[in-house]
Amino acid sequence: MLPTYPLQGLFSGFDSSNTCFALGTADGRVRTFDTVTGRLRSTLASNAAALAHKDTALLPNGHLAEAQRCLTWIDSQKQTQEDGPTRLFSSSVAVGTASGAVRLYDSATGELRWQTANCSEGGVDCLVQSSGRCSTLLGVGRSGHACVLDAATGSKQSQFRASKHGTTAAALSADGSRLLIGGSTLSLLDMDTQQRISKFTGHPLPVRAVAFAPSDAYAVSAAEGERLVAVWATASRPGSKLKSGGAAVASLAVEQPAVGLMTAAADIEGPGSFYAAATTEAGEVYCWLIRPDSDSTAVTSSQLAHVCIKQQAGSSSSHECIMAAALEPALQGITLLLVAGSAAKPRFERLFVSSSGSNSSNVTYLQPAAADG
């Protein structure tokens, strides 16, 4: 069956430094790339070590035979000197499967490090990790259960019911203390008590993507069929009880439904300010600057950029799109790291976006790749 939109069947993610990128496709391949050189680093499980694992089946072309649904990069802590600072390194990619298993691969060699089965009945649809709790990995799926794994070994630490309904999107706060989950509803959970502390209303269709702002005081979400990105106030208040029916504090317009969301701090623009970006079904990217009100949970937002690939009639590049994006801090603005082209041949481009909003009313067109030969 042909995809109904350019990004259908793709799932991807950048590592914490944005120097590596992993891309999964509908044919079962999961590949990692160097975003600086653009070169392929590895194809997961396309080697003898993974092939020897009794539960890992490969097709003759080396692709993973079992359907994959999601992935995330795993940060591990490493202290370079006895009294030196602890640094985070992203050297592994975790993949969630349709059977409910989670597998961890070495991103450089593609070798399988561990596999844990039965993490989510009906399949693992989302994997998340936070810098505050990088020793743990959390997987959620259609069963509504959340499975907490030891990122180093894959052993199960706990499993709890996060929602009465299937979960299709999730994000952990920076300190790992709160979990935002989306499905037919959008809820905020306390990870220590594993209880819901807030629920939000406004998405009539299943939630497709969520992300916390760097301060954790706000979050953004997008749902199927909706041409908007919602902004929510998620700051906890001491002694507060379950908050029901919270409405979005802002809605950010997009021309096509969003499938991916990301955020980055914009401290120079004021306390708690942040950038948000979205990739859409059509393979386009939007970027906004969001500033909180100092006296309430209200925010003001301004669209800074709308980026797509310039289409040329009759050209082989007419099917190119932007498949993913990351945000990198820059003076007086933000840099968009864009994965453009096609799933078969991605390329990486960086585009500076000024925080002044001078590009807000314009569409920025990326040139398609030059034809071979």
Side-chain angles (χ1 to χ4, degrees):
M1 180 181 295
L2 294 176
T4 58
Y5 56 89
L7 301 190
Q8 186 174 8
L10 302 183
F11 55 96
S12 62
F14 292 89
D15 72 348
S16 58
S17 65
N18 291 338
T19 57
C20 297
F21 175 75
L23 176 64
T25 51
D27 62 4
R29 278 193 302 176
V30 179
R31 296 169 293 159
T32 67
F33 298 86
D34 185 310
T35 65
V36 178
T37 65
R39 294 178 179 174
L40 176 70
R41 299 177 73 245
S42 65
T43 299
L44 304 189
S46 60
N47 54 70
L51 194 61
H53 195 285
K54 65 179 181 179
D55 294 323
T56 302
L58 298 182
L59 299 176
N61 58 7
H63 300 181
L64 298 172
E66 185 183 359
Q68 319 297 307
R69 288 185 176 170
C70 59
L71 63 82
T72 191
W73 288 83
I74 298 298
D75 287 332
S76 57
Q77 292 183 338
K78 183 177 180 180
Q79 194 159 320
T80 54
Q81 298 179 358
E82 183 176 349
D83 298 322
T86 298
R87 298 177 59 191
L88 295 179
F89 294 85
S90 300
S91 59
S92 305
V93 177
V95 177
T97 74
S99 70
V102 175
R103 298 184 180 123
L104 188 75
Y105 297 90
D106 184 296
S107 66
T109 65
E111 294 181 355
L112 182 65
R113 290 183 170 177
W114 54 253
Q115 172 176 273
T116 302
N118 303 318
C119 292
S120 179
E121 184 179 350
V124 178
D125 290 293
C126 189
L127 289 168
V128 290
Q129 189 194 34
S130 75
S131 58
R133 298 187 183 184
C134 61
S135 62
T136 61
L137 172 67
L138 187 142
V140 295
R142 301 182 185 185
S143 67
H145 286 86
C147 184
V148 182
L149 304 174
D150 183 302
T153 65
S155 61
K156 291 183 182 179
Q157 296 181 331
S158 65
Q159 197 161 9
F160 62 95
R161 191 166 188 81
S163 173
K164 296 179 181 179
H165 311 284
T167 302
T168 51
L172 278 168
S173 59
D175 62 3
S177 66
R178 294 182 297 163
L179 172 67
L180 184 65
I181 56 171
S184 59
T185 61
L186 185 64
S187 301
L188 186 65
L189 284 75
D190 183 286
M191 284 295 293
D192 292 326
T193 64
Q194 300 177 353
Q195 298 296 311
R196 188 177 67 184
I197 54 178
S198 299
K199 64 178 180 180
F200 307 98
T201 59
H203 289 306
L205 295 172
V207 176
R208 187 181 259 168
V210 295
F212 272 102
S215 68
D216 293 340
Y218 294 90
V220 291
S221 65
E224 292 181 10
E226 294 184 19
R227 291 178 171 83
L228 61 86
V229 172
V231 184
W232 310 91
T234 56
S236 59
R237 297 175 176 82
S240 63
K241 296 181 180 180
L242 173 64
K243 184 170 63 177
S244 177
V249 296
S251 294
L252 313 174
V254 291
E255 293 181 7
Q256 312 90 15
V259 295
L261 297 171
M262 60 290 309
T263 65
D267 295 335
I268 195 172
E269 301 296 332
S273 296
F274 65 98
Y275 297 99
T279 52
T280 71
E281 288 182 350
E284 301 180 1
V285 170
Y286 291 78
C287 182
W288 303 270
L289 173 61
I290 300 170
R291 296 184 177 94
D293 187 287
S294 59
D295 299 322
S296 68
T297 59
V299 299
T300 58
S301 63
S302 56
Q303 182 179 308
L304 303 181
H306 174 193
V307 188
C308 61
I309 293 186
K310 190 175 183 63
Q311 303 297 332
Q312 298 178 347
S315 170
S316 60
S317 63
S318 60
H319 298 296
E320 289 192 359
C321 64
I322 301 173
M323 293 169 283
L327 295 168
E328 299 180 334
L331 291 175
Q332 306 301 319
I334 194 77
T335 296
L336 290 172
L337 171 54
L338 305 171
V339 185
S342 65
K345 193 175 182 180
R347 65 180 189 278
F348 302 90
E349 299 189 24
R350 284 175 167 82
L351 176 69
F352 172 74
V353 176
S354 172
S355 60
S356 67
S358 59
N359 299 324
S360 60
S361 61
N362 301 320
V363 178
T364 300
Y365 291 99
L366 299 181
Q367 293 299 317
D372 295 336

